[in-house]
Amino acid sequence: IIEDEVKARLERWLKTDTPLLERLVQFWMNHFTVSAGKTGLVTAAIGAYEREAIRPHILGKFDDMVLAVEQHPVMLIYLDNQSSVGPNSRAGKNGAKGLNENLAREILELHTLGVDGGYTQADVTAFARILTGWIYSDPGNDDLYGGRFTFAPNRHEPGDVTVLGRVYPEAGKEQGEAAIRDFARHPSTARHIATKLARAFVSDDPPPSLVAK
């Protein structure tokens, strides 16, 4: 599967009439990177991840792309959110595994604000609580929705949560979506993304005035 995906990608690059858009696809796939060697599921679905989470949004809104990426099964598998369980959720109280911070940390550190974006470890942990319950449905157990993003209330940490000084009221899946949209629109994110775009298209050491613009 991965060999076929790579072949299709190369053929598209060679034949495209819109090379700038393909450059943007490469840029965003690198920004929201996943490793094809993580698991067989990630390897098999990485082409679908590009088609479903990246390509539809390269000329759209950044926060829509971020949400599509973070809710895609490939990202959920790659950053282990499938195993993250709120300590005070129903599943947590029944002895299920605990909190996993990988997805929350990557969203803050790499996908939005950046490593110097002003968040703390407490923000990472709090955000990880918000993201509990974000999983994908197992194709073997769900003939209709198998392989898609879903929200599991029994794994979700209940209650209001404060991240970056803002309180996100308990709202199930929407609690995480609200936080991600805020992070995507944060000034630190704008600076982080603008710097990366300027490096990719202009110079490894882009002029500060260009980044600011």
Side-chain angles (χ1 to χ4, degrees):
I1 293 174
I2 190 66
E3 289 175 355
D4 289 343
E5 293 284 7
V6 170
K7 180 181 178 182
R9 199 185 204 215
L10 290 172
E11 288 180 348
R12 184 173 186 127
W13 289 351
L14 289 170
K15 298 175 181 178
T16 183
D17 294 325
T18 55
L20 176 59
L21 300 189
E22 293 303 313
R23 282 283 308 275
L24 285 170
V25 170
Q26 293 177 44
F27 173 85
W28 291 118
M29 276 294 286
N30 181 67
H31 181 73
F32 295 110
T33 189
V34 295
S35 172
K38 170 76 174 185
T39 68
L41 287 171
V42 172
T43 302
I46 199 166
Y49 167 68
E50 179 180 294
R51 288 189 296 275
E52 296 164 359
I54 302 296
R55 286 185 177 274
H57 301 288
I58 57 171
L59 295 180
K61 294 181 179 180
F62 178 66
D63 56 350
D64 290 338
M65 182 187 289
V66 178
L67 272 178
V69 164
E70 313 308 350
Q71 292 182 342
H72 198 280
V74 164
M75 188 61 74
L76 295 172
I77 298 167
Y78 179 60
L79 292 177
D80 306 305
N81 214 67
Q82 193 76 1
S83 63
S84 188
V85 177
N88 297 304
S89 66
R90 291 196 300 273
K93 290 179 178 179
N94 289 330
K97 292 181 180 179
L99 202 62
N100 188 299
E101 297 183 354
N102 289 354
L103 180 61
R105 188 179 307 280
E106 293 291 283
I107 291 174
L108 291 170
E109 181 177 315
L110 299 179
H111 298 172
T112 59
L113 277 71
V115 67
D116 298 320
Y119 65 89
T120 66
Q121 174 58 41
D123 291 317
V124 173
T125 302
F127 186 34
R129 293 192 183 102
I130 288 177
L131 294 177
T132 50
W134 284 39
I135 64 171
Y136 73 97
S137 54
D138 189 326
N141 298 329
D142 191 332
D143 291 337
L144 183 60
Y145 297 106
R148 304 182 192 181
F149 168 81
T150 190
F151 179 72
N154 66 317
R155 301 186 184 193
H156 181 63
E157 180 73 4
D160 300 348
V161 180
T162 301
V163 185
L164 294 172
R166 179 165 184 172
V167 177
Y168 292 93
E170 170 58 56
K173 174 173 69 75
E174 288 74 19
Q175 187 181 32
E177 292 176 342
I180 286 175
R181 289 195 185 277
D182 283 346
F183 303 158
R185 299 165 180 168
H186 195 281
S188 293
T189 300
R191 183 172 59 252
H192 177 53
I193 299 301
T195 301
K196 291 191 68 172
L197 281 166
R199 283 176 179 158
F201 286 93
V202 179
S203 169
D204 287 343
D205 187 19
S209 59
L210 176 63
V211 174
K213 184 177 181 179

